[in-house]
Coordinates of all heavy atoms in Angstrom, one line a residue:
M1 N -20.9 -11.1 -6.3 CA -20.4 -9.8 -5.8 C -21.4 -9.1 -5.0 O -22.5 -8.9 -5.5 CB -19.8 -9.0 -6.9 CG -18.3 -8.5 -6.6 SD -17.8 -7.4 -7.8 CE -16.2 -8.1 -8.1
A2 N -21.1 -8.6 -3.8 CA -22.1 -7.9 -3.0 C -22.2 -6.4 -3.6 O -21.2 -5.8 -3.9 CB -21.6 -7.8 -1.6
K3 N -23.4 -6.0 -3.7 CA -23.6 -4.7 -4.3 C -24.2 -3.8 -3.2 O -25.4 -4.0 -2.7 CB -24.6 -4.7 -5.5 CG -23.9 -4.2 -6.7 CD -24.9 -4.0 -7.9 CE -24.2 -3.3 -9.0 NZ -25.2 -3.1 -10.1
K4 N -23.5 -2.8 -2.8 CA -24.0 -1.9 -1.7 C -24.7 -0.7 -2.4 O -24.3 -0.2 -3.4 CB -22.8 -1.3 -1.0 CG -22.3 -2.2 0.1 CD -21.1 -1.6 0.8 CE -20.4 -2.6 1.7 NZ -19.2 -2.0 2.2
S5 N -25.8 -0.4 -1.8 CA -26.5 0.8 -2.4 C -26.0 2.0 -1.6 O -26.1 2.1 -0.4 CB -28.0 0.6 -2.3 OG -28.4 0.4 -1.0
L6 N -25.5 2.9 -2.3 CA -24.9 4.2 -1.7 C -25.9 5.3 -1.8 O -26.8 5.3 -2.6 CB -23.6 4.6 -2.4 CG -22.5 3.5 -2.3 CD1 -21.4 3.9 -3.3 CD2 -21.9 3.4 -1.0
K7 N -25.8 6.2 -0.8 CA -26.7 7.4 -0.9 C -26.4 8.3 -2.0 O -27.3 8.8 -2.6 CB -26.5 8.1 0.4 CG -27.6 8.0 1.4 CD -27.5 8.9 2.6 CE -27.5 8.3 3.9 NZ -27.1 9.2 5.0
A8 N -25.1 8.3 -2.4 CA -24.7 9.2 -3.5 C -25.3 8.7 -4.7 O -25.5 7.5 -5.0 CB -23.2 9.2 -3.6
T9 N -25.8 9.7 -5.6 CA -26.4 9.4 -6.9 C -25.4 9.1 -7.9 O -25.6 8.4 -8.9 CB -27.3 10.5 -7.3 OG1 -26.6 11.7 -7.2 CG2 -28.6 10.6 -6.4
K10 N -24.2 9.7 -7.7 CA -23.1 9.4 -8.6 C -22.5 8.0 -8.5 O -22.4 7.6 -7.4 CB -22.0 10.4 -8.3 CG -22.2 11.8 -9.0 CD -21.0 12.7 -8.7 CE -21.1 14.0 -9.2 NZ -19.9 14.8 -8.9
P11 N -22.2 7.5 -9.6 CA -21.6 6.1 -9.5 C -20.2 6.3 -9.0 O -19.5 7.4 -9.1 CB -21.5 5.7 -11.0 CG -21.5 6.9 -11.8 CD -22.2 8.0 -11.0
T12 N -19.6 5.3 -8.4 CA -18.2 5.3 -8.0 C -17.4 4.4 -8.8 O -17.9 3.4 -9.3 CB -18.1 4.9 -6.4 OG1 -18.6 3.6 -6.3 CG2 -18.7 5.9 -5.5
F13 N -16.1 4.7 -9.0 CA -15.2 4.0 -9.8 C -14.1 3.6 -8.9 O -13.5 4.4 -8.2 CB -14.8 4.8 -11.0 CG -15.8 5.2 -11.9 CD1 -16.5 6.4 -11.7 CD2 -16.2 4.4 -13.0 CE1 -17.5 6.7 -12.6 CE2 -17.2 4.7 -13.9 CZ -17.9 5.9 -13.6
T14 N -13.8 2.3 -8.9 CA -12.6 1.9 -8.1 C -11.7 1.1 -9.0 O -12.1 0.4 -9.9 CB -13.1 0.9 -7.0 OG1 -14.1 1.5 -6.2 CG2 -12.0 0.4 -6.1
M15 N -10.4 1.4 -8.7 CA -9.4 0.7 -9.5 C -8.2 0.5 -8.5 O -7.9 1.3 -7.7 CB -8.9 1.5 -10.7 CG -7.9 0.7 -11.5 SD -7.9 1.2 -13.2 CE -9.4 0.5 -13.8
S16 N -7.6 -0.7 -8.6 CA -6.4 -0.9 -7.8 C -5.2 -1.1 -8.7 O -5.3 -1.4 -9.9 CB -6.6 -2.2 -6.9 OG -6.6 -3.3 -7.8
C17 N -4.0 -0.9 -8.0 CA -2.8 -1.0 -8.8 C -2.6 -2.4 -9.3 O -2.0 -2.6 -10.4 CB -1.6 -0.6 -7.8 SG -0.2 -0.1 -8.7
K18 N -3.2 -3.4 -8.6 CA -3.1 -4.8 -9.1 C -3.8 -4.9 -10.5 O -3.4 -5.7 -11.3 CB -3.8 -5.7 -8.1 CG -3.0 -6.1 -7.0 CD -3.7 -7.0 -6.0 CE -2.9 -7.2 -4.8 NZ -3.7 -7.4 -3.6
D19 N -4.9 -4.1 -10.7 CA -5.5 -4.1 -12.0 C -4.7 -3.8 -13.1 O -4.9 -4.1 -14.3 CB -6.7 -3.2 -11.9 CG -7.8 -3.7 -11.0 OD1 -7.9 -4.9 -10.8 OD2 -8.6 -2.8 -10.5
I20 N -3.7 -3.0 -12.9 CA -2.7 -2.7 -13.9 C -1.4 -3.3 -13.9 O -0.4 -2.9 -14.5 CB -2.6 -1.1 -14.0 CG1 -1.9 -0.6 -12.7 CG2 -3.8 -0.4 -14.4 CD1 -1.4 0.9 -12.9
G21 N -1.4 -4.5 -13.1 CA -0.3 -5.3 -13.2 C 0.7 -5.3 -12.1 O 1.7 -6.1 -12.1
S22 N 0.5 -4.5 -11.0 CA 1.4 -4.5 -9.9 C 0.8 -5.5 -8.8 O 0.2 -5.0 -7.9 CB 1.6 -3.1 -9.3 OG 2.1 -2.3 -10.3
E23 N 1.2 -6.7 -8.9 CA 0.7 -7.7 -8.1 C 0.9 -7.5 -6.6 O 0.1 -7.8 -5.8 CB 1.3 -9.1 -8.5 CG 0.9 -9.6 -9.8 CD -0.6 -10.0 -9.9 OE1 -1.2 -10.3 -8.9 OE2 -1.2 -9.8 -11.0
D24 N 2.1 -7.0 -6.3 CA 2.5 -6.8 -4.9 C 2.1 -5.4 -4.3 O 2.6 -5.0 -3.2 CB 4.0 -7.1 -4.7 CG 4.8 -6.3 -5.7 OD1 4.2 -5.6 -6.5 OD2 6.1 -6.3 -5.5
C25 N 1.3 -4.7 -5.0 CA 1.0 -3.3 -4.6 C -0.4 -3.3 -4.0 O -1.3 -3.8 -4.7 CB 1.2 -2.3 -5.7 SG 0.8 -0.6 -5.2
G26 N -0.7 -2.7 -2.9 CA -2.0 -2.7 -2.3 C -2.7 -1.4 -2.5 O -3.8 -1.2 -1.9
F27 N -2.2 -0.5 -3.4 CA -2.8 0.8 -3.6 C -4.1 0.6 -4.4 O -4.2 -0.1 -5.4 CB -1.9 1.7 -4.4 CG -2.5 3.0 -4.8 CD1 -2.4 4.1 -3.9 CD2 -3.1 3.2 -6.0 CE1 -3.0 5.3 -4.2 CE2 -3.6 4.5 -6.4 CZ -3.6 5.5 -5.4
S28 N -5.1 1.3 -4.0 CA -6.4 1.3 -4.7 C -7.0 2.7 -4.5 O -6.8 3.4 -3.5 CB -7.3 0.2 -4.4 OG -8.0 0.5 -3.2
V29 N -7.9 3.1 -5.5 CA -8.5 4.4 -5.4 C -10.0 4.3 -5.8 O -10.3 3.5 -6.7 CB -7.8 5.4 -6.3 CG1 -7.7 5.0 -7.8 CG2 -8.3 6.8 -6.2
T30 N -10.8 5.1 -5.2 CA -12.2 5.2 -5.5 C -12.6 6.6 -5.6 O -12.4 7.4 -4.8 CB -13.1 4.6 -4.4 OG1 -12.6 3.2 -4.2 CG2 -14.5 4.5 -4.7
T31 N -13.2 7.0 -6.8 CA -13.6 8.3 -7.0 C -15.0 8.3 -7.7 O -15.6 7.2 -8.0 CB -12.7 9.1 -7.9 OG1 -12.9 8.7 -9.2 CG2 -11.2 9.0 -7.4
H32 N -15.5 9.4 -8.0 CA -16.8 9.5 -8.7 C -16.7 9.7 -10.2 O -17.7 9.9 -10.9 CB -17.7 10.6 -8.1 CG -18.2 10.3 -6.7 ND1 -19.0 9.3 -6.4 CD2 -17.9 11.0 -5.5 CE1 -19.2 9.3 -5.2 NE2 -18.6 10.2 -4.6
S33 N -15.5 9.7 -10.6 CA -15.3 9.8 -12.1 C -14.2 8.9 -12.6 O -13.2 8.7 -12.0 CB -15.1 11.3 -12.5 OG -13.7 11.5 -12.9
A34 N -14.5 8.3 -13.8 CA -13.5 7.4 -14.4 C -12.2 8.1 -14.7 O -11.1 7.6 -14.5 CB -14.1 6.8 -15.7
D35 N -12.3 9.4 -15.1 CA -11.1 10.2 -15.4 C -10.2 10.3 -14.1 O -9.0 10.3 -14.2 CB -11.5 11.5 -15.9 CG -11.6 11.6 -17.4 OD1 -11.3 10.5 -18.0 OD2 -11.9 12.6 -18.0
E36 N -10.9 10.7 -13.0 CA -10.2 10.9 -11.7 C -9.4 9.5 -11.3 O -8.3 9.6 -10.8 CB -11.1 11.3 -10.6 CG -11.6 12.6 -10.8 CD -10.5 13.7 -10.8 OE1 -9.6 13.7 -9.9 OE2 -10.6 14.6 -11.6
V37 N -10.1 8.4 -11.5 CA -9.5 7.2 -11.2 C -8.2 7.0 -12.0 O -7.1 6.6 -11.4 CB -10.4 6.0 -11.4 CG1 -9.7 4.6 -11.4 CG2 -11.5 5.9 -10.4
K38 N -8.3 7.2 -13.2 CA -7.1 7.0 -14.1 C -6.0 8.0 -13.7 O -4.8 7.6 -13.6 CB -7.5 7.2 -15.6 CG -8.3 6.1 -16.1 CD -8.5 6.1 -17.6 CE -9.5 7.2 -17.9 NZ -9.8 7.3 -19.3
K39 N -6.4 9.2 -13.4 CA -5.4 10.3 -13.0 C -4.7 9.8 -11.8 O -3.5 9.9 -11.6 CB -6.1 11.6 -12.8 CG -6.0 12.5 -14.0 CD -6.5 13.9 -13.6 CE -7.4 14.5 -14.7 NZ -8.2 15.6 -14.1
A40 N -5.5 9.3 -10.8 CA -4.9 8.9 -9.5 C -4.0 7.7 -9.6 O -2.9 7.7 -9.0 CB -6.1 8.6 -8.5
I41 N -4.4 6.8 -10.5 CA -3.6 5.6 -10.7 C -2.3 6.0 -11.3 O -1.2 5.5 -10.9 CB -4.3 4.5 -11.5 CG1 -5.4 3.8 -10.7 CG2 -3.3 3.5 -12.2 CD1 -4.8 2.7 -9.8
F42 N -2.3 6.9 -12.3 CA -1.1 7.3 -13.0 C -0.2 8.1 -12.0 O 1.0 8.0 -12.0 CB -1.4 8.1 -14.2 CG -1.3 7.3 -15.5 CD1 -2.5 6.8 -16.0 CD2 -0.1 7.0 -16.1 CE1 -2.5 6.0 -17.1 CE2 -0.1 6.3 -17.2 CZ -1.2 5.7 -17.7
A43 N -0.8 9.0 -11.2 CA -0.1 9.8 -10.2 C 0.6 8.8 -9.3 O 1.8 9.0 -8.9 CB -1.0 10.7 -9.5
H44 N -0.1 7.8 -8.8 CA 0.5 6.8 -7.9 C 1.6 6.1 -8.6 O 2.7 5.9 -8.0 CB -0.6 5.9 -7.5 CG -0.1 4.6 -7.0 ND1 0.5 4.4 -5.7 CD2 0.1 3.3 -7.6 CE1 0.9 3.1 -5.6 NE2 0.7 2.5 -6.7
A45 N 1.4 5.6 -9.8 CA 2.4 4.9 -10.5 C 3.7 5.7 -10.7 O 4.8 5.2 -10.6 CB 1.9 4.4 -11.9
K46 N 3.5 7.0 -10.9 CA 4.6 7.9 -11.1 C 5.6 7.9 -9.9 O 6.8 8.0 -10.1 CB 4.1 9.3 -11.4 CG 4.6 9.9 -12.7 CD 4.0 11.3 -12.9 CE 4.1 11.7 -14.3 NZ 3.4 13.0 -14.6
Y47 N 5.0 7.9 -8.7 CA 5.9 8.0 -7.6 C 6.2 6.6 -7.0 O 7.2 6.4 -6.4 CB 5.5 9.0 -6.5 CG 4.4 8.6 -5.6 CD1 4.5 7.7 -4.6 CD2 3.1 9.1 -5.9 CE1 3.5 7.3 -3.8 CE2 2.0 8.7 -5.0 CZ 2.2 7.8 -4.0 OH 1.2 7.5 -3.2
A48 N 5.3 5.7 -7.1 CA 5.6 4.4 -6.5 C 6.2 3.4 -7.4 O 6.9 2.6 -7.0 CB 4.2 3.8 -6.0
H49 N 5.9 3.6 -8.7 CA 6.5 2.6 -9.7 C 7.1 3.4 -10.9 O 6.7 3.2 -12.0 CB 5.5 1.6 -10.2 CG 4.6 1.1 -9.1 ND1 5.1 0.1 -8.2 CD2 3.3 1.3 -8.8 CE1 4.0 -0.2 -7.4 NE2 3.0 0.5 -7.7
P50 N 8.0 4.3 -10.6 CA 8.6 5.1 -11.7 C 9.2 4.2 -12.8 O 9.1 4.5 -14.0 CB 9.6 6.0 -11.1 CG 9.9 5.4 -9.8 CD 8.7 4.6 -9.3
E51 N 9.8 3.1 -12.4 CA 10.5 2.3 -13.3 C 9.5 1.6 -14.3 O 9.8 1.3 -15.5 CB 11.3 1.2 -12.7 CG 10.6 0.1 -12.0 CD 9.8 0.4 -10.8 OE1 10.0 1.5 -10.2 OE2 8.8 -0.3 -10.5
K52 N 8.3 1.4 -13.8 CA 7.2 0.8 -14.6 C 6.8 1.7 -15.7 O 6.7 1.3 -16.9 CB 6.1 0.4 -13.7 CG 5.0 -0.5 -14.3 CD 3.9 -0.8 -13.3 CE 2.8 -1.5 -14.0 NZ 3.0 -3.0 -14.1
L53 N 6.5 3.0 -15.4 CA 6.2 3.9 -16.3 C 7.3 4.3 -17.3 O 7.1 4.5 -18.5 CB 5.7 5.2 -15.7 CG 4.3 5.2 -15.1 CD1 4.0 6.6 -14.6 CD2 3.2 4.8 -16.1
A54 N 8.5 4.3 -16.7 CA 9.6 4.7 -17.6 C 9.9 3.6 -18.7 O 10.3 4.0 -19.7 CB 10.9 4.8 -16.7
G55 N 9.5 2.4 -18.4 CA 9.7 1.3 -19.3 C 8.6 1.2 -20.4 O 8.6 0.3 -21.2
M56 N 7.6 2.1 -20.2 CA 6.5 2.0 -21.1 C 6.6 3.0 -22.3 O 6.9 4.2 -22.0 CB 5.2 2.2 -20.4 CG 4.7 1.0 -19.5 SD 3.4 1.5 -18.5 CE 2.0 1.0 -19.7
S57 N 6.2 2.6 -23.5 CA 6.1 3.5 -24.6 C 4.8 4.3 -24.5 O 3.9 3.9 -23.8 CB 6.2 2.8 -25.9 OG 5.1 2.0 -26.1
E58 N 4.7 5.4 -25.3 CA 3.4 6.1 -25.3 C 2.3 5.1 -25.8 O 1.2 5.2 -25.2 CB 3.5 7.2 -26.3 CG 4.0 8.5 -25.7 CD 3.3 8.9 -24.4 OE1 2.0 9.0 -24.4 OE2 3.9 9.2 -23.4
A59 N 2.6 4.3 -26.7 CA 1.6 3.3 -27.2 C 1.1 2.4 -26.1 O 0.0 2.1 -26.0 CB 2.0 2.6 -28.4
E60 N 2.0 2.0 -25.3 CA 1.7 1.1 -24.2 C 0.9 1.8 -23.1 O 0.0 1.2 -22.6 CB 3.0 0.5 -23.5 CG 3.6 -0.6 -24.4 CD 5.0 -1.1 -23.9 OE1 5.7 -0.2 -23.4 OE2 5.3 -2.2 -23.9
K61 N 1.2 3.1 -22.9 CA 0.4 3.8 -22.0 C -1.0 4.0 -22.4 O -2.0 3.9 -21.7 CB 1.1 5.2 -21.7 CG 2.3 5.1 -20.8 CD 2.9 6.5 -20.6 CE 4.3 6.4 -20.1 NZ 5.1 7.6 -20.1
Q62 N -1.1 4.3 -23.7 CA -2.4 4.4 -24.3 C -3.2 3.1 -24.2 O -4.4 3.1 -23.9 CB -2.4 4.8 -25.8 CG -1.8 6.1 -26.1 CD -2.6 7.3 -25.6 OE1 -3.9 7.2 -25.6 NE2 -2.1 8.3 -25.0
G63 N -2.5 2.0 -24.4 CA -3.1 0.7 -24.2 C -3.6 0.4 -22.8 O -4.7 -0.2 -22.6
M64 N -2.8 0.9 -21.9 CA -3.2 0.7 -20.5 C -4.4 1.5 -20.1 O -5.3 1.1 -19.4 CB -2.0 1.1 -19.6 CG -2.1 0.7 -18.2 SD -0.5 0.9 -17.3 CE -0.8 2.4 -16.4
M65 N -4.5 2.8 -20.7 CA -5.7 3.6 -20.5 C -6.9 2.9 -21.0 O -7.9 3.0 -20.4 CB -5.4 4.9 -21.3 CG -4.5 6.0 -20.6 SD -5.4 6.7 -19.2 CE -4.3 8.1 -18.9
K66 N -6.7 2.3 -22.2 CA -7.9 1.7 -22.9 C -8.3 0.5 -22.0 O -9.6 0.3 -21.8 CB -7.4 1.2 -24.2 CG -8.6 1.3 -25.3 CD -8.2 0.7 -26.5 CE -9.4 0.2 -27.3 NZ -9.1 -0.8 -28.3
K67 N -7.4 -0.2 -21.5 CA -7.6 -1.4 -20.6 C -8.4 -0.9 -19.4 O -9.4 -1.5 -18.9 CB -6.3 -2.0 -20.2 CG -6.5 -3.5 -19.7 CD -5.1 -4.0 -19.4 CE -5.3 -5.0 -18.3 NZ -4.0 -5.3 -17.6
M68 N -8.0 0.2 -18.8 CA -8.6 0.8 -17.6 C -10.0 1.2 -18.0 O -10.9 1.0 -17.2 CB -7.8 2.0 -17.1 CG -6.5 1.5 -16.3 SD -5.8 2.8 -15.3 CE -4.9 3.8 -16.5
D69 N -10.2 1.9 -19.1 CA -11.5 2.3 -19.6 C -12.4 1.1 -19.6 O -13.6 1.2 -19.1 CB -11.5 2.9 -20.9 CG -11.0 4.3 -20.9 OD1 -11.2 5.0 -19.8 OD2 -10.5 4.9 -21.9
E70 N -12.0 0.0 -20.2 CA -12.8 -1.2 -20.3 C -13.1 -1.8 -18.9 O -14.3 -2.2 -18.7 CB -12.1 -2.2 -21.2 CG -12.1 -1.9 -22.6 CD -11.1 -2.6 -23.5 OE1 -10.4 -3.5 -22.9 OE2 -10.9 -2.3 -24.6
M71 N -12.2 -1.8 -18.0 CA -12.4 -2.3 -16.7 C -13.5 -1.4 -16.0 O -14.4 -1.9 -15.3 CB -11.2 -2.3 -15.9 CG -10.3 -3.5 -16.2 SD -8.9 -3.7 -15.0 CE -7.8 -2.5 -15.6
L72 N -13.3 -0.1 -16.1 CA -14.2 0.8 -15.4 C -15.6 0.7 -16.0 O -16.6 0.7 -15.2 CB -13.7 2.3 -15.6 CG -12.4 2.6 -14.8 CD1 -11.8 3.9 -15.2 CD2 -12.6 2.6 -13.3
I73 N -15.8 0.5 -17.3 CA -17.1 0.3 -17.9 C -17.7 -0.9 -17.4 O -18.9 -1.0 -17.0 CB -17.0 0.4 -19.4 CG1 -16.6 1.8 -19.9 CG2 -18.3 -0.1 -20.0 CD1 -16.1 1.9 -21.3
S74 N -16.9 -2.0 -17.3 CA -17.5 -3.2 -17.0 C -17.9 -3.4 -15.5 O -18.7 -4.2 -15.1 CB -16.5 -4.4 -17.3 OG -15.4 -4.3 -16.5
K75 N -17.3 -2.5 -14.7 CA -17.5 -2.5 -13.3 C -18.8 -1.6 -12.9 O -19.2 -1.7 -11.8 CB -16.3 -2.0 -12.5 CG -15.3 -3.0 -12.3 CD -14.2 -2.4 -11.5 CE -13.0 -3.4 -11.3 NZ -11.9 -2.8 -10.6
K76 N -19.2 -0.8 -13.8 CA -20.3 0.1 -13.5 C -21.5 -0.6 -12.9 O -21.9 -1.6 -13.5 CB -20.6 0.9 -14.8 CG -20.6 2.4 -14.5 CD -21.2 3.1 -15.7 CE -20.1 3.7 -16.5 NZ -20.6 4.4 -17.7
Ligands
ZN101 ZN1 1.1 0.6 -7.0

């Protein structure tokens, strides 16, 4: 994987909708905080995939959060 060195001292976090299971969705987001990435993905899922969120229990959402945390940590 190519690693670009950015001027910004803050790390960037990137996540795509594909990472959380939407194979046919091209949405992705990059921010400087892991929390912002998760918020943005959830906000996106809310309007783009409402049926996906509606079908998830609280426990499943928590599980997805955890999965995202792990992905964000491993990508650092
Ligand atoms: Zn999506």
